[in-house]
């Protein structure tokens, strides 16, 4: 890692630098890393991003954590938790595995609680990013007319391009699942799912209804495009979508939805603007009957590198 350009981690609207540290601990430097001093937080300290309460026995901070992430705070044989408690002079209470609740950090010094909370937030943010997405925010494109055109496109491709490298019927999207993806989400418990549902309803009331006038938007699906530089080595082929009236209302709604979800912490910001597209072919959908049969017999699953397909002739069809 370039020490002059450290990785940036965004947590709760603040940006932290992920600095390279040596394996050997330096306990005397911990307070400098996470809080300016034992008293109140300075302007550039992180503790205004969360609540630290004063109690009869000192200070405490509570953080809601989905149960699947507990193990990352506990660590192997409890080593991570023990190290956090020792180095920050705090006690960390974690609910039992599978039980949803709050992690409670308590300590006699405010700076220690702040340090432990900040470290936990960084750990959670890091491991959450490594989780596979569980949900995605999208606009459905499964109307009968669109499905019919898609099936015609699929039939034509298989008829005229089936001999092209990598092209097979398993690459095509399920017609019932055609959609415009706005972004992916990692929702690890019912509370986070409900939070996402509530936010989506708020968006509808706050700006979606105003932009649409309470009426459905009519879009056109015309033409296909690929996502990489070489059409002969395509992994994703998508349909281009635009508003029939030529306006940018769909784009505005998409951008504002993503902006709200990113601000809530439910989604990571990937692009400045949503790329409106409907995936029609994807090499992640590819199935190998032989491999699938072997995995079924052995009870094992295996990762296989994506095999691209030649999309040059498909792009010439453009009949979607």
């Amino acid at each position: 890692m370039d020490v002059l350009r450290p990785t940036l981690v965004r947590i709760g609207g603040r940006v932290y630098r992920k600095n390279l540290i040596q394996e050997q601990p330096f306990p005397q430097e911990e307070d400098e890393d996470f809080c300016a001093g034992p008293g109140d937080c300075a302007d550039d300290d992180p503790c205004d991003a969360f609540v630290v309460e004063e109690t009869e026995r000192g200070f405490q901070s509570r953080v809601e954590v989905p149960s699947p992430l507990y193990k990352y705070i506990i660590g192997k044989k409890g080593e991570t938790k023990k190290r956090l408690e020792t180095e920050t002079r705090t006690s960390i209470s974690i609910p039992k595995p599978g039980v949803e609740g709050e992690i409670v950090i308590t300590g006699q010094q405010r700076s220690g609680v702040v340090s432990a909370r900040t470290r936990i937030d960084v750990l959670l943010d890091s491991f959450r990013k490594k989780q596979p997405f569980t949900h995605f925010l999208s606009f459905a494109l499964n109307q009968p007319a669109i499905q019919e055109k898609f099936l015609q496109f699929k039939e034509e491709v298989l008829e005229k391009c089936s001999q092209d490298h990598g092209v097979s019927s398993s690459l095509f999207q399920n017609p019932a699942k055609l959609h415009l993806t706005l972004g992916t989400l990692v929702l690890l418990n019912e509370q986070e799912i409900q939070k996402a549902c509530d936010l989506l309803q708020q968006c509808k009331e706050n700006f979606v209804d105003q932009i649409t006038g309470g009426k459905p938007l009519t879009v056109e699906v015309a033409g296909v495009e690929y996502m990489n530089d070489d059409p002969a080595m395509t992994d994703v082929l998508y349909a281009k979508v635009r508003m029939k009236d030529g306006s940018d209302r769909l784009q505005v709604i998409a951008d504002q939805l993503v902006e709200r979800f990113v601000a809530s912490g439910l989604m990571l910001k990937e692009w400045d603007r949503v790329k409106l597209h409907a995936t029609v072919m994807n090499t992640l959908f590819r199935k190998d009957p032989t491999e699938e049969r072997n995995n079924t017999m052995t009870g094992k699953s295996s990762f296989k590198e994506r095999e691209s397909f030649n999309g040059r002739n498909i792009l010439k069809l453009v009949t979607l």
Side-chain angles (χ1 to χ4, degrees):
M1 181 180 72
D2 188 342
V3 295
L4 297 180
R5 296 180 177 83
T7 302
L8 300 181
V9 179
R10 298 177 183 274
I11 301 176
R14 302 182 71 93
V15 179
Y16 298 90
R17 289 174 296 182
K18 187 176 181 181
N19 294 319
L20 182 66
I21 60 173
Q22 301 296 325
E23 289 297 323
Q24 59 192 67
F26 295 96
Q28 69 275 15
E29 295 180 3
E30 295 301 331
D31 288 343
E32 295 178 2
D33 286 343
F34 292 95
C35 195
D40 292 335
C41 295
D43 290 340
D44 58 350
D45 278 322
C47 53
D48 61 348
F50 48 79
V51 176
V52 177
E53 302 172 322
E54 187 170 5
T55 67
E56 294 180 356
R57 297 183 178 181
F59 299 87
Q60 74 173 19
S61 181
R62 298 174 176 270
V63 53
E64 290 188 7
V65 180
S67 59
L69 297 181
Y70 293 166
K71 60 184 179 182
Y72 301 114
I73 306 303
I74 297 172
K76 186 178 181 180
K77 297 182 179 180
E79 292 177 357
T80 301
K81 177 175 177 289
K82 291 176 184 176
R83 185 173 67 253
L84 284 171
E85 290 177 323
T86 300
E87 295 181 354
T88 62
R89 298 180 179 87
T90 59
S91 175
I92 301 172
S93 175
I94 301 176
K96 294 181 180 180
V99 178
E100 298 298 335
E102 295 178 321
I103 290 179
V104 182
I105 308 162
T106 57
Q108 295 184 352
Q109 299 295 323
R110 181 186 180 91
S111 59
V113 173
V114 169
S115 177
R117 172 61 189 269
T118 303
R119 290 181 177 208
I120 288 175
D121 282 348
V122 171
L123 280 172
L124 292 173
D125 182 74
S126 175
F127 284 108
R128 178 181 283 275
K129 289 177 180 178
K130 297 178 181 179
Q131 305 300 308
F133 75 87
T134 59
H135 299 73
F136 57 86
L137 187 63
S138 67
F139 296 141
L141 283 178
N142 54 3
Q143 290 77 7
I146 293 178
Q147 288 189 33
E148 183 179 352
K149 291 288 288 182
F150 170 75
L151 290 173
Q152 291 174 5
F153 167 77
K154 177 179 178 180
E155 182 179 350
E156 186 176 10
V157 168
L158 294 177
E159 178 184 344
K160 299 180 179 179
C161 307
S162 61
Q163 299 304 311
D164 294 347
H165 174 75
V167 175
S168 74
S169 60
S170 65
L171 299 181
F172 290 84
Q173 176 65 279
N174 182 334
K177 296 181 179 180
L178 287 169
H179 62 273
L180 300 176
T181 300
L182 307 186
T184 57
L185 304 140
V186 177
L187 308 178
L188 299 176
N189 58 21
E190 290 299 323
Q191 290 89 333
E192 292 189 346
I193 293 174
Q194 188 58 52
K195 181 180 177 180
C197 291
D198 292 343
L199 178 58
L200 191 58
Q201 181 62 34
Q202 293 172 18
C203 291
K204 180 180 182 299
E205 297 170 357
N206 293 343
F207 63 86
V208 174
D209 286 343
Q210 181 180 356
I211 295 173
T212 63
K215 299 178 181 179
L217 298 181
T218 303
V219 301
E220 291 180 328
V221 182
V224 292
E225 192 56 83
Y226 57 99
M227 283 197 172
N228 53 307
D229 296 329
D230 185 359
M233 298 290 290
T234 300
D235 281 321
V236 176
L237 197 71
Y238 64 90
K240 294 181 286 187
V241 178
R242 60 174 179 262
M243 284 289 298
K244 198 167 186 178
D245 62 7
S247 71
D248 65 346
R249 289 186 294 166
L250 186 64
Q251 183 70 56
V252 171
I253 292 173
D255 290 340
Q256 290 195 25
L257 280 171
V258 170
E259 183 180 328
R260 297 293 179 90
F261 271 78
V262 169
S264 73
L266 291 172
M267 183 183 293
L268 295 176
K269 184 173 183 179
E270 298 183 76
W271 315 105
D272 291 333
R273 201 161 186 251
V274 176
K275 184 178 180 66
L276 291 172
H277 68 282
T279 298
V280 293
M281 296 177 69
N282 192 330
T283 54
L284 287 178
F285 301 157
R286 187 186 299 282
K287 296 178 182 178
D288 184 336
T290 302
E291 183 177 310
E292 185 174 339
R293 181 170 62 253
N294 292 337
N295 291 341
T296 301
M297 294 174 63
T298 61
K300 297 179 180 179
S301 61
S302 61
F303 173 79
K304 187 176 182 180
E305 187 175 350
R306 296 172 73 163
E307 179 189 353
S308 301
F309 65 92
N310 188 343
R312 285 175 174 168
N313 290 326
I314 299 176
L315 291 168
K316 295 176 183 177
L317 296 177
V318 195
T319 58
L320 187 63

